[in-house]
Amino acid sequence: MSYRKTFKLICGFAGGSAVLVFAAAAADSRGYFGERREAASRWPKFTVLQAAQPAWTSASHTPAPTGHAWDFNWDKRDPSALTNGKKKESATEDPSSEQDNGKPKATRNILLIRHSQYNLSGISDKERILTPLGREQAELTGKRLAALGLKYDVLIHSSMARATETANIISKHLPGVDLVSCDLLREGAPIEPVPPVTHWKPDAVQYHEDGARIEAAFRRYIHRADPKQKEDSYEIIVCHANVIRYFVCRALQFPPEGWLRMGLNNGSITWLTIRPSGRVALRTLGDAGFMPPDKLTRT
């Protein structure tokens, strides 16, 4: 069978694939379809095939930086910023020693716990207590926190019923850790989310009121250690999904309006670490891997 007939038969089966185009180009250059071509004439065909693939460059695959530098004085506790403009007590006072004395040395670890599953049909806050599954979730979270073997300094919780009940159950697994209730940590609408959602639309007044309160909670609890603190601390805050997600965005200096792009399971653990320098790290976000799959909820 001639090469021309063989080529037509193969093309009928393969549908003109890229491999056959390559074979055809090679056969044609050898003179099977007519006169023999010079060796140099085949390279343009290869060039055409290669041109179909975009050239790789580092510029086309590297994300462009946003240009926003890390603000080391985000919590207004940077020692260098606190000493600027202060009048010296005496001419012999060493500015560097003053700054060292006021420099934080400990790391703060803040474990943010989302409350467990609760009764969604409740009308008032007092009726929105934990479901039987929610109480199981709180037990599992308490066991997990105890198993970490950390020396917890305090357990702060939102004053809403579902957070208070969750904190009380967790507290049973952490004897000796003080419980503190705080109204600032109550659930709310921190800031209008971007992109917007259609299933949840608080009015402008709610954003205005809740946003100021939740921001005040952030400023109270999320900051570097006081210079007088000598040892690293571990603090637990039991509150709500909106509050936790807003805290994470603010602490990492991400756009706060992106808070609704994250999801958190009930009873999950989100762990923020704040270094003396003001650096912040997110160690875990919504960790619920310690719960069996049939205990996971997000209500």
Side-chain angles (χ1 to χ4, degrees):
M1 183 181 294
S2 67
Y3 279 97
R4 188 182 299 274
K5 291 181 179 180
T6 302
F7 177 72
K8 288 182 179 180
L9 180 61
I10 296 174
C11 283
F13 289 121
S17 66
V19 175
L20 291 178
V21 172
F22 179 86
D28 189 29
S29 67
R30 295 178 180 274
Y32 295 127
F33 298 156
E35 78 251 15
R36 181 178 179 83
R37 308 282 182 89
E38 293 297 327
S41 66
R42 47 186 139 157
W43 298 116
K45 292 181 175 62
F46 296 154
T47 303
V48 171
L49 291 173
Q50 293 172 352
Q53 301 296 326
W56 186 93
T57 62
S58 59
S60 64
H61 289 76
T62 303
T66 62
H68 299 294
W70 179 263
D71 177 13
F72 280 93
N73 195 30
W74 58 273
D75 58 352
K76 308 306 178 189
R77 296 167 187 251
D78 184 357
S80 61
L82 292 173
T83 56
N84 285 343
K86 284 188 177 181
K87 187 177 180 179
K88 293 183 181 180
E89 296 295 330
S90 66
T92 59
E93 184 178 353
D94 185 0
S96 62
S97 64
E98 179 187 355
Q99 184 171 329
D100 287 341
N101 292 334
K103 185 177 180 180
K105 300 175 179 61
T107 295
R108 293 186 68 217
N109 294 274
I110 302 171
L111 288 82
L112 302 161
I113 313 298
R114 190 191 175 193
H115 61 78
S116 301
Q117 186 191 63
Y118 67 102
N119 175 28
L120 290 171
S121 60
I123 298 175
S124 67
D125 178 55
K126 292 181 179 180
E127 296 174 342
R128 294 176 178 175
I129 59 175
L130 299 186
T131 64
L133 174 57
R135 289 190 287 274
E136 287 186 63
Q137 292 170 339
E139 293 282 357
L140 291 168
T141 303
K143 291 177 181 178
R144 173 58 176 171
L145 291 171
L148 292 176
L150 303 173
K151 183 182 177 182
Y152 300 107
D153 297 87
V154 66
L155 199 169
I156 307 165
H157 61 87
S158 158
S159 57
M160 298 187 81
R162 55 189 182 270
T164 301
E165 189 176 357
T166 301
N168 287 332
I169 294 174
I170 290 175
S171 179
K172 295 189 303 181
H173 299 274
L174 306 173
V177 179
D178 292 337
L179 273 171
V180 178
S181 178
C182 179
D183 289 334
L184 292 178
L185 294 167
R186 294 172 73 89
E187 184 65 300
I191 187 174
E192 190 169 357
V194 177
V197 293
T198 57
H199 63 277
W200 186 70
K201 285 187 173 295
D203 56 30
V205 174
Q206 185 175 354
Y207 280 123
H208 180 70
E209 294 178 350
D210 290 353
R213 173 177 54 78
I214 296 172
E215 173 63 20
F218 173 81
R219 296 185 185 191
R220 174 178 291 187
Y221 296 114
I222 312 299
H223 55 78
R224 77 192 75 190
D226 187 273
K228 296 179 181 178
Q229 181 177 326
K230 303 303 181 183
E231 298 181 356
D232 294 351
S233 59
Y234 296 87
E235 303 160 50
I236 302 170
I237 299 178
V238 179
C239 54
H240 310 270
N242 295 0
V243 177
I244 294 172
R245 293 180 287 189
Y246 178 79
F247 280 10
V248 168
C249 287
R250 286 282 283 109
L252 298 179
Q253 299 187 21
F254 293 162
E257 62 271 19
W259 63 273
L260 199 50
R261 303 171 197 173
M262 296 177 277
L264 298 174
N265 287 329
N266 296 111
S268 61
I269 302 173
T270 296
W271 187 338
L272 286 172
T273 297
I274 307 176
R275 301 295 181 188
S277 65
R279 293 182 182 273
V280 180
L282 180 64
R283 296 189 62 171
T284 63
L285 175 66
D287 176 25
F290 52 88
M291 294 190 187
D294 61 338
K295 304 297 182 184
L296 296 175
T297 60
R298 194 180 292 182
T299 58

